[in-house]
Amino acid sequence: MSGPSSTPLRVALLGCGTVGSAVLRLVGDQAGDLAARIGRPVEVVGIAVRRPAHHPDVPQHLLTTDAAALVRRDDVDLVVEVIGGIEPARSLMYAAFEAGKSVVSANKALLAEDGPGLHAAAAEAGVDLYYEAAVAGAIPLLRPLRESLAGDQLRRVVGIVNGTTNYILSRMAETGAGFAEALAEATELGYAEADPTADVDGFDAAAKAAILASLAFHTPVSSADVHREGISAVSATDVARAAEIGCTVKLLAICERVPNGAGDSVAVRVHPAMIPTTHPLASVGGAFNAVFVEAEAAGQLMFYGQGAGGEPTASAVLGDLVAVARNRVAGASGQGPTGYADLAVRPMAETPTRYHVSLDVADKPGVLAAVAQEFARQDVSISTVRQTGRGDAATLVIVTHSAPDAALSATIAALRDMPAVRGVTSVLRVEGLS
Ligand SMILES: NC(=O)C1=CN([C@@H]2O[C@H](COP(=O)(O)OP(=O)(O)OC[C@H]3O[C@@H](n4cnc5c(N)ncnc54)[C@H](O)[C@@H]3O)[C@@H](O)[C@H]2O)C=CC1
Ligand SMILES: N[C@@H](CC=O)C(=O)O
Ligand code: NA
């Protein structure tokens, strides 16, 4: 049996921002252990950046602004893509596969847009495409879905998968911080995307939900298939109303397999929701992420940890780097995800949800009955009604039972038009209430 080789595996690093610089640091700090774990040393031989002058701490001879030439260089064996976004990351990955090089990426936006195409290109080239860092940062989640749970049937994956919005919502609830102030802090801490509207408007979480659903249900799901709402409309009133009923507001990603006699479908959505403070996801604070997985045989599993930040994300990148390097040493490649089930994606309008609605109404006879009638008109059953205040300042707080989302949103539209309703002050979906 042959022993470890001293010939290094040569890595091209594309991007040297929050994640890339942490990857570079960890590869250097852990060089000895990585060599022992892989069987060959790992050496970063080139780093593509946009502006070399912005990277004074990096060995200058490694820097290049020509990422396309770097991935094709003969002295590059593996590629780590931490530029982010669609282009040029997509072209660079395809070029790497064409040149027979495995890719490790943290790029959920790209994987959620073009996952099947990228995987097909990697498979055709007989190389690997790994991206554990793309969903829930440091938390090992994609490999467990792809490998450990590959023998089970998954029913539901639900969690908090965006660190920036969780940080903002936590700060708003705990300290009363304003939205802009909390977002600035999250950006400063390296959690936010280059364009933080990707976090705030739910695009980042929707991309992660698409990746999770694809792996969980063996079905190609892209970002465009995901119902997406961000947190920019979450108000201090929503947070206060949630607290009044023992709930907190979280941005949830919910991926479900929906049983149906004619053939199962999948429903994938990202939106803010009130959850009870006793729910395990309620205590997930700051930039932490947590994901529940429900599987037929395994039952409930929970994954928790740091979902954003340079070092935590670099940990997941390095785990993938070790995996693809080991495959390369063994002359093998891992099995990519399978999309054989190819289930239909169920529209949000048909997906059952529950609403919490807060209305300012006149405290007059018949108002409650008229409001209740609007719910009944859409076949929406009410779970609880609470009235506070009297006269002009009366507030009705209604929690519904589960109903198709379209029926609930039609009810809200009708309530807004009712003369007796002075204002619809808070509307949020509710998850996890008994
Ligand atoms: N920051 C985080 O907490 C996490 C980030 N990710 C993902 O990791 C990737 C990188 O994110 P960050 O490091 O936070 O972003 P960043 O904006 O800090 O770094 C990206 C770097 O790529 C460089 N770049 C852009 N275009 C380039 C080009 N054409 N050639 C060479 N370099 C180029 C930029 O100048 C920048 O330095 C993204 O896909 C992001 O979604 C994933 C998990 C967590
Ligand atoms: N911007 C993302 C970074 C990790 O994916 C987040 O806030 O979670
Ligand atoms: Na992860």
Side-chain angles (χ1 to χ4, degrees):
M1 200 173 124
S2 61
S5 161
S6 59
T7 312
L9 281 166
R10 297 154 305 180
V11 174
L13 182 61
L14 310 182
C16 196
T18 304
V19 179
S21 57
V23 168
L24 185 64
R25 197 164 50 248
L26 291 185
V27 168
D29 291 352
Q30 291 166 191
D33 286 320
L34 291 173
R37 291 171 195 174
I38 293 165
R40 277 172 68 177
V42 171
E43 186 188 342
V44 175
V45 295
I47 305 170
V49 296
R50 258 199 309 217
R51 284 179 283 274
H54 288 194
H55 303 274
D57 301 338
V58 174
Q60 296 295 296
H61 69 283
L62 295 181
L63 295 176
T64 173
T65 53
D66 192 345
L70 177 60
V71 297
R72 291 187 178 89
R73 256 167 48 183
D74 290 339
D75 68 339
V76 166
D77 302 307
L78 306 170
V79 173
V80 173
E81 183 278 309
V82 280
I83 288 176
I86 304 301
E87 285 295 350
R90 182 197 330 237
S91 303
L92 292 168
M93 279 200 210
Y94 278 109
F97 299 142
E98 268 168 35
K101 294 160 193 183
S102 293
V103 175
V104 172
S105 174
N107 192 335
K108 51 268 167 146
L110 178 53
L111 266 301
E113 178 164 310
D114 193 20
L118 290 163
H119 277 293
E124 196 179 327
V127 296
D128 288 319
L129 169 57
Y130 281 35
Y131 42 93
E132 181 60 71
V135 182
I139 307 173
L141 181 59
L142 302 191
R143 202 100 47 90
L145 289 178
R146 209 153 107 160
E147 297 174 7
S148 321
L149 291 162
D152 211 333
Q153 295 296 339
L154 270 62
R155 291 191 191 128
R156 199 163 190 257
V157 180
V158 54
I160 294 167
V161 294
N162 183 266
T164 302
T165 47
N166 202 53
Y167 184 87
I168 294 170
L169 292 172
S170 303
R171 296 280 291 159
M172 284 171 77
E174 287 158 15
T175 68
F179 184 92
E181 181 195 342
L183 172 59
E185 285 172 12
T187 304
E188 176 63 28
L189 290 164
Y191 304 147
E193 295 301 302
D195 173 3
T197 55
D199 299 296
V200 170
D201 292 340
F203 291 99
D204 178 80
K208 290 166 176 168
I211 295 170
L212 288 173
S214 302
L215 294 178
F217 307 127
H218 304 275
T219 286
V221 177
S222 76
S223 299
D225 296 318
V226 180
H227 173 85
R228 175 193 55 79
E229 292 170 34
I231 63 162
S232 45
V234 175
S235 64
T237 309
D238 293 328
V239 173
R241 290 280 178 268
E244 283 165 15
I245 59 161
C247 284
T248 187
V249 180
K250 294 289 184 190
L251 183 70
L252 297 184
I254 303 172
C255 316
E256 293 163 306
R257 183 173 182 134
V258 187
N260 183 329
D264 290 1
S265 56
V266 296
V268 192
R269 55 194 160 110
V270 166
H271 55 70
M274 291 184 184
I275 55 172
T277 50
T278 50
H279 192 289
L281 288 177
S283 57
V284 176
F288 278 79
N289 286 185
V291 177
F292 274 108
V293 176
E294 272 175 44
E296 271 176 31
Q300 288 194 329
L301 304 159
M302 185 168 173
F303 298 81
Y304 171 81
Q306 296 195 65
E311 294 241 327
T313 308
S315 164
V317 172
L318 255 67
D320 280 352
L321 187 60
V322 169
V324 303
R326 283 175 174 159
N327 284 347
R328 167 107 190 185
V329 168
S333 62
Q335 157 86 53
T338 52
Y340 73 92
D342 205 14
L343 304 175
V345 178
R346 174 151 138 169
M348 183 65 179
E350 294 168 21
T351 301
T353 58
R354 291 179 72 181
Y355 276 32
H356 174 286
V357 187
S358 181
L359 310 170
D360 276 353
V361 294
D363 187 15
K364 289 196 303 208
V367 170
L368 179 56
V371 165
Q373 201 176 4
E374 286 304 338
F375 283 87
R377 221 189 289 282
Q378 296 292 338
D379 213 13
V380 174
S381 165
I382 291 174
S383 167
T384 59
V385 184
R386 190 164 49 91
Q387 179 173 337
T388 55
R390 291 192 69 83
D392 278 357
T395 297
L396 277 183
V397 177
I398 296 165
V399 179
T400 72
H401 284 299
S402 182
D405 200 76
L408 286 157
S409 53
T411 307
I412 302 304
L415 291 172
R416 286 190 204 283
D417 286 345
M418 280 179 67
V421 174
R422 304 241 161 87
V424 179
T425 54
S426 170
V427 180
L428 270 187
R429 295 188 186 84
V430 183
E431 290 285 326
L433 263 191
S434 51

